[in-house]
Amino acid sequence: MSDGGRDTLLLAASGTDVVATRAGETTTLSAASLAAWIAAVERRDHPRWVWSDTTTWYPRLLAEGVRVERCHDLRLARRILRLAAPRAAAWDDAPGWDRATTPTADRQAADALFEWETQADPLDGPDDVAAEHERQRAALDGSPDGRLRLLVAAESAGALVACEMRAAGLPWDVARHEAILIDTLGARRAGGLPARMEAAAARVRDALDDPRLSIDSPPKLLRALRTAGIRVESTSRWELAEHDHPVVEPLLAYKRMARLLTANGWSWIDEWVRDGRFRPVYVPGGVVTGRWASSGGGALQIPRALRPAVRADEGWRIVSADVAQLEPRVLAAMARDERMAQAAAGADLYAGIVASGAVPTRAEAKVAVLGAMYGATTGDAGRLVPRLRTVFPRAMALVDAAAQTGEDGGVVRTWLGRTSPAASSEWDAAQRLASGVEAGEGEAARARRAARDRGRFTRNFVVQGTAAEWSLAWLADLRLRLAAIPPTDGRQATTSGPWFDRRPHLAFFLHDEVLVHTPEEHADEAAAAVRAAATTAGRLLFGAFPIDFPLDVRIDVDAAK
């Protein structure tokens, strides 16, 4: 976020035209001339483009081969600032900016170019954009340090990355995907289930002695199981696996195949893969902690079995990288817990915890750390978490304090200042009812349970949210490093679009993992950029605190692991 001078350029719709404003000077452009004008200004000045919503403006530019280096997304920033910044009440007179911004595939499509020609967004007007920008500048100027400003910049950079990954697409080998489906499910059959699924279904019906059973109906399946003497409350694999009955194995197999067919079967290919590219709809900040979500294509739920379908174009490579145990490392850095940071030195934090003497085995170390971050109080986690308090008191004090704040009805903040949602009115009412003089044990028990649930939420919020911030910083820096690599003189990835067809570019992101599609001759350079960006992200957030963020980096033709 700049000071509003020559470095910042506001874009707003005005009827069928676009108004660009910088340092009080305005330029009116037609929709047809906008992309070329932005490209020229971007090459000359590299401003920070300020606009209402990246998902509305940026896909149009990418479709014409125009990429921008920086932006400020007013809608995403408002979500953060309304909760986190001082003087948040400044937005009370502008409720329209709270409109949900989850993109749809239609809004992202190239044929939506300059859609305000038919229906302008009333919040895209020059006065609205300028007023909102000024509110946000005032809020950031009033924040006590630069962290909130960094969060807003990172969130906006993430919005650019999301649009660019959708525009470029993830290289997808349909033939390999279909081979995996056939191998797992059996051949596709018109009007019926694939052969392997049908065979599994027949075995289920035989085992339950119910030849007409509708296996895909949970109530009917549950009744059939109980009739066969299998006392379960649900059809989850955890409950089913506890029973020794001939139906369990084929039923679990059928459920696995049904999930694959429904979520990523042939219909998914038909809807989401075009010209060898999977182009999902990413939603930066779609989860309250700041994690990304998706509103189309299920990008964040692609099963490991389908990873071989992610295949580079001829003459290109996939650089894959993921961070080892990101959230525990972030916790150590936030808490300035040097003993935990020492345990994290290297590729395996859990092995380091074992070496610290906190627990005897790696499996127990993992259970203990996850229990500490998610508030587990029973079973193995309940037994092991107290040991972490002895060995890593600073880290445990941080999450324990966050949990207590949540139980008391307060809000917590991530490292850069994203604020958790306030307790709901129903939560407040339950606590008030429990504290009344006539409250019974039932009301008190419900209030305690609700308080503990909220404490578990706030305990995890500070860690998961800060991990999301580290990932945003990683993405933002990596994006710039990749853009600085010269375009290839070799084979082009033509279906990646006019900007990305000759350059290394981000193709996929999932919380702590990235995939880069790169020309073969730049693969090593792209891998180095991935590592360097991770180092930069750690320093940007946590300064000189000695915490490692080790990466598992691979260069291959596909993303199989």
Side-chain angles (χ1 to χ4, degrees):
M1 192 77 174
S2 74
D3 61 3
R6 302 296 300 181
D7 184 55
T8 299
L9 208 159
L10 281 66
L11 292 181
S14 179
T16 59
D17 293 329
V18 177
V19 175
T21 304
R22 177 161 55 176
E25 301 175 1
T26 63
T27 302
T28 301
L29 302 146
S30 68
S33 64
L34 178 65
W37 183 84
I38 287 179
V41 174
E42 178 71 23
R43 284 193 300 270
R44 184 182 67 240
D45 300 334
H46 302 286
R48 186 181 301 278
W49 301 93
V50 179
W51 48 43
S52 58
D53 185 346
T54 303
T55 64
T56 297
W57 289 82
Y58 198 33
R60 306 161 177 164
L61 303 178
L62 291 171
E64 296 202 19
V66 177
R67 177 187 177 276
V68 303
E69 185 173 308
R70 300 182 296 166
C71 83
H72 178 85
D73 188 306
L74 291 169
R75 292 194 194 279
L76 287 177
R78 180 186 170 88
R79 290 186 193 173
I80 294 169
L81 296 176
R82 187 172 176 86
L83 292 176
R87 299 193 293 263
W91 283 289
D92 288 346
D93 60 348
W97 280 88
D98 287 331
R99 179 172 62 83
T101 59
T102 299
T104 64
D106 288 341
R107 287 182 68 191
Q108 293 283 352
D111 59 10
L113 195 66
F114 308 133
E115 65 188 22
W116 63 74
E117 291 182 357
T118 56
Q119 184 178 4
D121 184 342
L123 298 179
D124 255 345
D127 292 341
D128 296 304
V129 168
E132 179 65 18
H133 183 234
E134 185 58 35
R135 276 188 286 266
Q136 294 187 12
R137 284 183 56 211
L140 288 171
D141 289 344
S143 60
D145 56 38
R147 293 186 185 182
L148 202 56
R149 194 179 297 272
L150 176 57
L151 174 58
V152 167
E155 190 88 333
S156 296
L160 294 175
V161 171
C163 288
E164 289 172 2
M165 289 197 303
R166 178 166 172 78
L170 180 63
W172 200 268
D173 187 331
V174 171
R176 181 168 286 202
H177 185 163
E178 290 183 331
I180 294 169
L181 292 178
I182 293 170
D183 183 61
T184 306
L185 308 177
R188 187 180 191 180
R189 298 193 302 171
L193 294 175
R196 289 181 183 271
M197 280 190 71
E198 188 59 62
R203 291 176 61 199
V204 170
R205 295 186 181 102
D206 287 344
L208 294 177
D209 194 24
D210 189 344
R212 303 178 65 85
L213 173 63
S214 175
I215 302 174
D216 295 319
S217 169
K220 293 179 180 178
L221 177 59
L222 200 57
R223 282 198 300 271
L225 290 169
R226 290 172 178 169
T227 300
I230 305 172
R231 301 300 176 187
V232 290
E233 297 301 319
S234 73
T235 60
S236 73
R237 64 188 179 100
W238 305 110
E239 278 201 75
L240 291 170
E242 294 177 357
H243 295 268
D244 183 15
H245 190 281
V247 77
V248 172
E249 185 272 327
L251 179 54
L252 292 178
Y254 179 88
K255 287 166 68 69
R256 286 193 298 271
M257 289 187 282
R259 281 193 298 272
L260 177 60
L261 179 64
T262 301
N264 301 105
W266 288 276
S267 295
W268 182 91
I269 296 174
D270 294 341
E271 182 174 3
W272 289 104
V273 182
R274 293 285 186 279
D275 300 322
R277 292 294 184 271
F278 168 43
R279 290 187 169 88
V281 182
Y282 299 96
V283 185
V287 180
V288 294
T289 60
R291 272 191 165 194
W292 284 24
S294 64
S295 68
L300 307 186
Q301 292 87 35
I302 298 296
R304 283 282 172 187
L306 290 181
R307 282 303 186 95
V310 180
R311 190 169 182 83
D313 289 359
E314 185 176 350
W316 287 58
R317 290 292 182 266
I318 296 291
V319 177
S320 63
D322 58 88
V323 192
Q325 301 116 15
L326 174 59
E327 291 187 2
R329 294 173 189 279
V330 161
L331 171 58
M334 293 172 68
R336 293 313 201 239
D337 193 318
E338 293 186 359
R339 291 195 66 183
M340 194 169 187
Q342 185 178 4
D348 190 348
L349 177 144
Y350 299 132
I353 290 176
V354 172
S356 75
V359 294
T361 68
R362 186 185 184 281
E364 288 179 317
K366 185 173 183 178
V367 168
V369 170
L370 295 179
M373 293 190 299
Y374 288 89
T377 58
T378 60
D380 287 342
R383 173 176 59 85
L384 296 169
V385 166
R387 301 186 190 181
L388 295 186
R389 291 193 176 92
T390 301
V391 182
F392 308 118
R394 295 178 68 91
M396 291 303 300
L398 187 147
V399 288
D400 287 345
Q404 188 60 59
T405 298
E407 290 186 21
D408 294 341
V411 298
V412 295
R413 291 175 174 81
T414 61
W415 186 251
L416 294 184
R418 192 186 299 271
T419 305
S420 65
S424 67
S425 57
E426 293 80 6
W427 190 93
D428 288 334
Q431 302 304 313
R432 287 195 301 270
L433 180 63
S435 62
V437 294
E438 298 182 358
E441 180 53 36
E443 288 85 357
R446 282 190 291 273
R448 286 194 299 269
R449 185 164 55 250
R452 286 194 298 269
D453 289 345
R454 179 164 172 76
R456 281 191 290 271
F457 165 71
T458 52
R459 172 188 292 271
N460 183 245
F461 182 94
V462 296
V463 180
Q464 186 181 110
T466 303
E469 291 164 357
W470 183 93
S471 294
L472 277 176
W474 185 30
L475 284 177
D477 189 69
L478 176 56
R479 172 180 178 265
L480 298 180
R481 290 177 185 272
L482 293 176
I485 297 175
T488 181
D489 292 327
R491 190 178 181 92
Q492 293 179 244
T494 55
T495 58
S496 291
W499 174 267
F500 307 104
D501 58 352
R502 298 176 61 221
R503 295 174 170 87
H505 55 268
L506 280 156
F508 182 75
F509 166 62
L510 175 61
H511 305 322
D512 59 1
E513 178 186 8
V514 297
L515 300 181
V516 173
H517 193 211
T518 177
E520 185 175 13
E521 64 265 35
H522 293 315
D524 289 336
E525 194 173 356
V530 170
R531 294 187 179 95
T535 300
T536 299
R539 291 175 180 167
L540 185 64
L541 264 67
F542 305 119
F545 184 76
I547 186 70
D548 288 342
F549 292 97
L551 301 179
D552 177 16
V553 180
R554 291 178 67 250
I555 300 174
D556 212 332
V557 295
D558 61 34
K561 282 192 176 182

